[in-house]
Amino acid sequence: MPTDRNADNYESVLTGASKDVASFEGEEKGFVGRLQEMLHATPSLVPLIVLVAAIIIFGIALGSKFFSPFALTLILQQVQIVGVLAAAQSLVILTAGIDLSVGALAVLSSVIMGQFTFRYGIPPAVSVMLGLTIGTAIGAISGWLVSRVKLPPFIVTLGMWQILLAANYLYSRNETIRSQDIETEAAFLQLLGVKFQAGGATFTLGVLLMVGLVAALAYALRSTAWGRHVYAVGDDPEAAELAGVNVHRTLMSVYMLVGFICALTGWVMIGRFGSVSPAVSTGMMGNIQSITAVVIGGISLFGGRGSIVGAFFGALIVGVFELGLRMAGANPQWTWLLIGALIIGAVSLDQWIRKVSQ
Amino acid sequence: MTTEPILSGRGLIKRFGKVTALDSCDFDLMPGEILAVIGDNGAGKSVMIKTLSGALQPDGGQVYVEGKPVNFQSPIDAREAGIETVYQTLAMSPALSIADNMFMGREIRKPGLVGQWFRKLDRPAMETFAREKLSELGLLTIQNINQAVETLSGGQRQGVAVARAAAFGSKVIILDEPTAALGVKESRKVLELILDVRSRGIPIILISHNMPHVFEVADRIHIHRLGRRLCVVDPKDYTMSDAVAFMTGAKEPPSEAVPA
Ligand SMILES: Nc1ncnc2c1ncn2[C@@H]1O[C@H](COP(=O)(O)OP(=O)(O)OP(=O)(O)O)[C@@H](O)[C@H]1O
Ligand SMILES: [Mg+2]
């Protein structure tokens, strides 16, 4: 036995140590502390509160003109493109990435679906399927560059954005396929634009798709192993890898799913606009619009935190502001001023909520 | 000795640019033993266990499990072989709950259709299991199994990581400084757990800078120096001062303890 061991046997007093479970006074934190913890646990709460408040304020100010089933469902129709793109963007941002190419991929996919049908005479349903497949494949390329080649997502998707936008103009030869032509010859392409009424409210299949998609992704992220892995990879990829997550496979699945959802957005766009045009603003603006919705929705740009439902609320907030201010006859610049303030507010709040952990 | 090592390495080499972290390093873990690994900061202890656990791939040399050469490409491979590791960095996802972290990469799904078709996680089962394992470790100060790991103290986090490894390790458990952030009472619990795991017949690799702990529980001590195994000593034959002297190079290791 070595002699210098436990010269002072300090551990022997442990036998007398309290065996009680530590208990803390929950009240000590006060209202602000508990609010902080609540928001930490349920990050979509803030955008929900902002959304409800905005609807109530516009409802009071504008009366039934705004607060009607018609106007409120009109908002849903107006946000369906950004809403679906925001779902895709949320997934990438949860992995601590960012995707600047979402809008361009959506437009390219709509052009592929349209041109495949009209240029090559492929049945529209098959064209849609091919569009979705190509979108997924393009997502796989971005995913591979991020995950295997280890390029920063910002750079990969910045390049991809330019490539896809240019490919979109080159391939379409800058041609627009007119709405009437699609309607008479390939109505299936406009399927997601099909409207139906329910007591003054108007829904389209595209709106249902958006809501269904958000619900499905929210479920997958919260209640499946894949969803937990997406969060873990966004939180700390090295820790996730050591803990037994296949980081490469998770990232690939996310980028491929994002490509698929972007292509789906292309199909939604045909339903919404009727026509197929390579020049729609989504190609240029889709990325910023979706990132805006995601940030207002409380998803952290550092990854691993936030909920996709929050991003959906974020998209709705933008839609409510746009329609409400337009109805109020305000200069549209007010919308962007308010949205800008919301973005900064949302990120400040995110910083504050994160302090719970320190 | 005639028994075969359960986990071993021969001539392991690992370089990071100009830094040679493992310099033709050998390693042996015998069945049922507690092997302590000691060495200065930066000696290459963590890099060595990472090459054994699949987290790093060696540039040279070979890892063997029960005498058979293995090439782990990731920690998942090592885990499938029954080797469970607590890394020095703990490998936790701070924003996720304790239960989520304990089951990361081996989640339990609900039985039946919901689990099979909707891949729904069996949260209650995972939570019950996680709570049980934490109680065994005496980590009762954790009140809520659903609390995010980032809201735990450093020591509690370490406790969760140890509980995770102990719960799932079936062949070898590797602990890289598992008590560094723990209090006196919690360290004692981890040492008890280590002895308990050994009594279940599972060998343990314990990396630690805490000499009293090492000398208390270890069956053999692997002294690591400058990226390789300097010698292996029996704690009954040497004092802590001897071990520290070998480890720092103040004293030459006894020739009989130097492996061939
Ligand atoms: N990922 C890495 N990249 C570059 N160098 C590394 C990396 N990991 C370890 N090293 C280097 O390898 C050497 C051994 O490091 P290692 O972490 O194994 O030391 P250690 O013995 O575990 O020390 P400690 O007691 O401080 O944990 C160090 O010089 C370190 O700088
Ligand atoms: Mg180390």
Side-chain angles (χ1 to χ4, degrees), chain A residues 11 24 40 223 229 235 243, chain B residues 79 95 107 121 143 150 188:
Chain A
E11 287 184 357
F24 303 102
H40 189 257
S223 300
H229 295 178
D235 220 350
Chain B
R79 239 159 70 158
E107 293 80 0
L121 295 176
Q143 303 156 63
E150 66 193 352
R188 180 64 27 216

Side-chain angles (χ1 to χ4, degrees), chain A residues 104 107-108 110-111 115 164-177 269 275-284:
Chain A
V107 178
L108 177 63
S110 72
V111 162
Q115 294 291 346
L164 296 178
L165 213 52
N168 158 56
Y169 283 111
L170 291 171
Y171 176 64
S172 67
R173 305 177 188 129
N174 226 338
E175 277 168 17
T176 297
I177 305 172
M269 287 166 65
S275 59
V276 171
S277 161
V280 294
S281 65
T282 307
M284 285 306 284

